[in-house]
Amino acid sequence: MKLIIIVLSAIFVNNFVLSRFLGICPFLGVSKKVETALGMGIAVTFVMALASVMTWIVQIAILVPLKIEYMQTIAFILVIAGLVQFVEMVMKKTSPTLYQALGVYLPLITTNCAVLGVAILNIESKFNIMETLLNGIGGALGFTLAIVLFAGIRERMELAPYPKSLEGFPIALITASLLSIAFLGFSGLL
């Protein structure tokens, strides 16, 4: 039951983008088309799940025994950067169209604070390896849900009339804030 609560909480209640406000850069930058947003969500899911487990292992097997926990952020960023490079190579070979559509935002997963945030939160929450994996997957699925919903709304808004002064980034920020308010309805659920 605890594992289900961790996953549902990470997706809905403690959504990294809409509740914790982590990962906003790719959320706003890659959310103009649903297909691109879904591709980014899948890439982030893969990286976040693997990064959660890998950083937990680095923390438990290397940093704690050597008593160098203060190197946590640097070590975690190195692990995440390596994973992103791996995802980038795989995506370039398997889906060149998606690779080009994601453009500069794919390498930015390295600096996506949601990926680093989940790794650090897993350690701070004292999760075991299974809880860490499920929190990473849940957080990534929450990110994917948020970015795909936002992209769908933005696609529909291209057809909607609104004031010229709100075109582009201003209407995107207003929409993101309304989506965040909608997700506040999940608080207290679990």
Side-chain angles (χ1 to χ4, degrees), residues 53-133:
V53 172
M54 298 291 287
T55 54
W56 186 88
I57 291 169
V58 166
Q59 178 77 14
I60 300 302
I62 299 172
L63 300 179
V64 171
L66 295 176
K67 298 187 184 341
I68 54 172
E69 293 94 343
Y70 60 89
M71 298 290 290
Q72 180 184 65
T73 304
I74 293 170
F76 287 5
I77 289 172
L78 289 173
V79 168
I80 292 165
L83 287 171
V84 169
Q85 289 300 312
F86 175 71
V87 168
E88 197 171 354
M89 289 186 308
V90 168
M91 195 172 284
K92 192 173 187 178
K93 293 286 185 194
T94 60
S95 182
T97 310
L98 181 60
Y99 174 78
Q100 287 181 339
L102 291 175
V104 70
Y105 292 101
L106 188 58
L108 282 178
I109 294 175
T110 302
T111 58
N112 185 341
C113 52
V115 179
L116 181 60
V118 76
I120 292 172
L121 286 169
N122 287 333
I123 301 301
E124 286 179 359
S125 299
K126 297 185 182 0
F127 286 154
N128 63 35
I129 193 153
M130 182 57 106
E131 293 168 342
T132 294
L133 174 64

Side-chain angles (χ1 to χ4, degrees), residues 6-28:
I6 288 172
V7 173
L8 292 177
S9 174
I11 294 171
F12 298 110
V13 179
N14 298 318
N15 187 291
F16 282 98
V17 177
L18 300 174
S19 295
R20 296 181 188 257
F21 306 111
L22 297 173
I24 299 295
C25 177
F27 176 72
L28 292 173

